[in-house]
Amino acid sequence: MLPPRSSTSTLLHTSDIYTPQFWRIVSTDTSCFRATTPGTDEHGLKIQQAADAAGMDPLTFCTQVSERFQGLFSRCNVSHTDFIRTTEERHRRAVEHFWSVLLDKGLIYKGSYEGWYSTPDESFLTPSQVADAVDPTGKEIKISLESGHQVEWMKEENYMFRLSNFRPQLLHWLKRNPAAVQPERFQQAVLLWLEEELPDLSVSRQRSRLQWGIPVPGDPDQTIYVWLDALINYLTVVGYPDQHHQRWWGAVRHVVGKDILKFHAIYWPSFLLAAGLPLPRSIHVHSHWTVGGKKMSKSLGNVVNPLERAQSFTTDGLRYFLLRQGVPDSDCDYTDVKVLKLLNAELADSLGGLLNRCTAPALNPRQVFPPFCPLSFPPEGEAGRAVPEDYAMLDAVRNLEAMVAQNYESLHVYKALEAVAACVRLTNGFVQRHTPWKLDKTESEDARWLDTIVHVSLECLRVYGTLLQPIVPEISDKLLSRLGVKADERAWKNLTFLPRYDGEASAFEGRALGADTGVLFSRLESTNEKNPKAKKSKKQR
């Protein structure tokens, strides 16, 4: 999955439209991540400037970029319950109502703003956030310490939000909720910001400077500040200001890039407190993908196109790599070589190889889910053919469901996939250790042990296929279909592992396997890093 945010936190570069949204994972009964509300934030000065540079009116420009995001979601199997564009009429109504609430409470006032402003970041900066620099022509300039973008001194009459009022409440919220911002290092960053007084925030721009945005209600000479406008889209999609929005708002969790942490962990909670609305349950922060250790940017030419890479590595392959290697705490560096090596090792060789072995006619000539023999694999401590390493594998797979669920829930997806990959390796080790292809199928004890080895391995594969559905839906479907697992048997509730070992009946024992549709994931090969391609296996030729 490619969470839509900005060109620096995903592998997509789409000019200047940002899409900070909130997400939830439905990890138990779905085959993909479910984005409750992706979308595009389409107002602001840099959008206005980008549209001018493209020779287009802003709405047409935004529509084209927004459609590219929607196309990306469709191509990458990312479903959603809604898609919000901040240029929609329903959003304008929500913003105007929210503004009126703050105004009526005396939390917005007309004042004069003077200070540094970063147009690329759409951000007001304090003097401590600005540093001296030199541009490529040798001219002395000021830049944002956080983003490196050039800033300009701005002085104009705007509407101001009494942000300074909310510092004590923000500190109280964060200290009472140590997991409010995750990972913990980002919570500490927010607390560090709050050690200083919060200046009141300009929440509008003069219409003469910024036409592309929602006019301030009752004052057509002012345009609402893009981030106040943008953040309210979270409320728009749950029906704000109508009463039924309260049904959903209390459960919201945000997933944001680290570069917009201040907007989501200081400005947004302050706006919500001001409006008398509940704060998010949690804010999950992710770091960035870099290339060559550097932030992706058009000027450096190091932007990676996800649609091109999905074509090279398959959609599931790209999803798996990003979620397997993406660590929230720190930036991760992207290379095609890394993708190729990981996918070949874990999807093609380890997972795909295990499935091929256990469904091959040489080991499974009847093409069924073979019977389990409790004499061959008795409870630990009793005499049988299983060895201590086999029982350790069973324990690991039995505990896998809870571990994966916990890490999906906390958005530590990479930890969940690490655990699955480790169990797949254990299962391959189990098969390799007992070399079932060397057993004498004409001897009854050997035949029962061979069937047991295959039964246990297929049970492990059934668990892996079920747990991987949110990550690699197409591969999981292919794997589970090959095992003969029906569509209504793929939910979390069906994950009871190896019931025959515990003396219970198995719904799968004796069932015919599904059709053989070829290798699970084709190995990738590449003569150069920019041109990876699938290698035809003997089975495909």
Side-chain angles (χ1 to χ4, degrees):
M1 181 194 70
L2 303 175
R5 219 290 301 153
S6 75
S7 61
T8 55
S9 58
T10 72
L11 297 184
L12 180 67
H13 197 88
T14 54
S15 298
D16 297 294
I17 290 186
Y18 282 76
T19 63
Q21 305 298 338
F22 65 84
W23 295 70
R24 67 184 170 92
I25 298 176
V26 182
S27 57
T28 55
D29 290 292
T30 187
S31 60
C32 64
F33 282 103
R34 190 164 187 81
T36 304
T37 170
T40 43
D41 301 332
E42 300 180 4
H43 291 135
L45 184 59
K46 65 179 179 179
I47 305 297
Q48 180 177 301
Q49 292 173 344
D52 289 343
M56 303 168 66
D57 69 88
L59 183 58
T60 301
F61 175 79
C62 290
T63 298
Q64 289 188 3
V65 177
S66 182
E67 287 174 350
R68 290 173 62 192
F69 271 110
Q70 295 184 63
L72 177 67
F73 299 152
S74 176
R75 176 69 178 82
C76 293
N77 286 333
V78 179
S79 66
H80 49 81
T81 54
D82 201 341
F83 187 97
I84 177 66
R85 296 182 59 188
T86 59
T87 48
E88 295 179 38
E89 181 58 31
R90 59 171 174 162
H91 180 65
R92 174 190 284 257
R93 290 196 300 270
V95 172
E96 290 175 343
H97 181 85
F98 195 91
W99 180 278
S100 66
V101 169
L102 300 191
L103 188 66
D104 290 346
K105 290 187 173 186
L107 295 169
I108 290 178
Y109 64 94
K110 198 76 171 282
S112 179
Y113 173 80
E114 184 173 1
W116 297 107
Y117 185 77
S118 169
T119 297
D121 302 319
E122 302 279 14
S123 179
F124 301 97
L125 304 172
T126 62
S128 63
Q129 296 173 298
V130 173
D132 295 320
V134 178
D135 71 10
T137 67
K139 179 183 176 183
E140 293 184 353
I141 59 172
K142 297 284 189 180
I143 62 169
S144 164
L145 281 171
E146 185 172 348
S147 69
H149 292 139
Q150 184 173 348
V151 299
E152 60 178 334
W153 187 262
M154 186 182 77
K155 182 177 181 180
E156 60 184 35
E157 187 178 48
N158 295 332
Y159 285 92
M160 307 293 292
F161 170 70
R162 298 187 190 278
L163 182 65
S164 55
N165 287 13
F166 296 95
R167 179 171 169 266
Q169 294 179 63
L170 293 177
L171 283 167
H172 180 72
W173 169 56
L174 291 170
K175 290 178 179 179
R176 286 196 60 186
N177 299 277
V181 179
Q182 304 174 34
E184 195 266 343
R185 63 172 289 224
F186 293 112
Q187 172 118 336
Q188 293 305 314
V190 179
L191 287 170
L192 188 62
W193 287 331
L194 290 173
E195 288 183 1
E196 299 180 9
E197 294 296 328
L198 293 178
D200 286 353
L201 178 69
S202 174
V203 286
S204 73
R205 299 295 309 276
Q206 290 181 357
R207 197 76 179 169
S208 59
R209 295 194 181 191
L210 175 62
Q211 297 81 43
W212 183 238
I214 299 174
V216 168
D219 190 345
D221 293 331
Q222 294 277 330
T223 301
I224 295 176
Y225 174 47
V226 61
W227 274 102
L228 175 57
D229 164 2
L231 289 163
I232 293 169
N233 75 68
Y234 300 140
L235 292 169
T236 302
V237 295
V238 294
Y240 181 86
D242 295 335
Q243 194 69 21
H244 71 270
H245 79 272
Q246 298 173 356
R247 176 186 175 192
W248 302 101
W249 186 248
V252 68
R253 299 183 183 188
H254 293 302
V255 179
V256 305
K258 68 177 186 178
D259 54 333
I260 54 172
L261 175 59
K262 180 171 290 185
F263 299 100
H264 284 79
I266 292 183
Y267 297 165
W268 181 226
S270 298
F271 294 152
L272 291 172
L273 288 167
L277 294 170
L279 299 185
R281 288 179 59 180
S282 55
I283 300 171
H284 297 268
V285 185
H286 63 81
S287 297
H288 294 164
W289 282 99
T290 58
V291 173
K294 296 181 179 179
K295 187 175 179 180
M296 293 188 203
S297 73
K298 287 183 289 186
S299 59
L300 291 176
N302 64 346
V303 175
V304 179
N305 187 315
L307 294 174
E308 291 176 0
R309 293 316 191 270
Q311 187 171 9
S312 299
F313 298 123
T314 75
T315 296
D316 272 9
L318 185 60
R319 286 165 61 111
Y320 184 84
F321 173 80
L322 294 175
L323 291 166
R324 175 76 169 87
Q325 295 288 294
V327 180
D329 302 71
S330 58
D331 292 346
C332 303
D333 206 54
Y334 176 93
T335 69
D336 286 338
V337 169
K338 283 184 182 179
V339 184
L340 185 143
K341 288 181 177 179
L342 178 74
L343 299 186
N344 281 345
E346 296 192 357
L347 294 185
D349 296 345
S350 192
L351 185 64
L354 180 62
L355 178 66
N356 286 344
R357 270 183 170 179
C358 298
T359 59
L363 291 187
N364 197 336
R366 291 177 292 157
Q367 292 293 286
V368 297
F369 217 107
F372 175 89
C373 176
L375 296 177
S376 300
F377 208 136
E380 190 171 9
E382 297 183 14
R385 299 185 71 160
V387 298
E389 293 88 346
D390 303 336
Y391 294 102
M393 179 199 71
L394 293 193
D395 287 341
V397 178
R398 191 175 288 115
N399 295 327
L400 188 61
E401 174 190 349
M403 184 180 299
V404 168
Q406 178 185 346
N407 284 303
Y408 279 175
E409 180 70 17
S410 65
L411 294 188
H412 288 106
V413 181
Y414 74 100
K415 291 184 179 180
L417 298 186
E418 282 178 358
V420 172
C423 284
V424 174
R425 289 193 295 272
L426 289 176
T427 310
N428 272 305
F430 166 68
V431 175
Q432 188 67 32
R433 183 163 52 248
H434 295 294
T435 57
W437 49 89
K438 294 183 179 180
L439 295 172
D440 184 357
K441 301 182 185 65
T442 64
E443 199 278 318
S444 59
E445 187 177 328
D446 269 10
R448 288 195 298 271
W449 179 227
L450 187 153
D451 283 345
T452 300
I453 293 170
V454 175
H455 179 101
V456 171
S457 300
L458 293 182
E459 270 290 275
C460 291
L461 280 165
R462 181 177 66 85
V463 170
Y464 306 149
T466 303
L467 295 176
L468 287 172
Q469 288 178 97
I471 312 302
V472 284
E474 294 177 3
I475 289 174
S476 293
D477 176 67
K478 189 173 184 178
L479 188 158
L480 294 171
S481 296
R482 181 70 174 108
L483 299 184
V485 181
K486 300 173 185 175
D488 61 355
E489 297 173 324
R490 301 179 181 187
W492 228 250
K493 64 183 179 182
N494 304 116
L495 270 175
T496 303
F497 171 61
L498 199 60
R500 292 286 286 112
Y501 176 78
D502 297 315
E504 300 175 2
S506 167
F508 302 99
E509 189 173 67
R511 182 183 295 187
L513 297 180
D516 183 358
T517 56
V519 296
L520 185 67
F521 186 85
S522 297
R523 280 187 59 81
L524 300 163
E525 61 179 1
S526 178
T527 54
N528 61 72
E529 190 173 336
K530 294 184 178 180
N531 188 33
K533 60 181 178 180
K535 180 180 180 180
K536 293 290 184 180
S537 69
K538 292 180 180 179
K539 208 167 191 177
Q540 290 176 306
R541 291 189 181 121

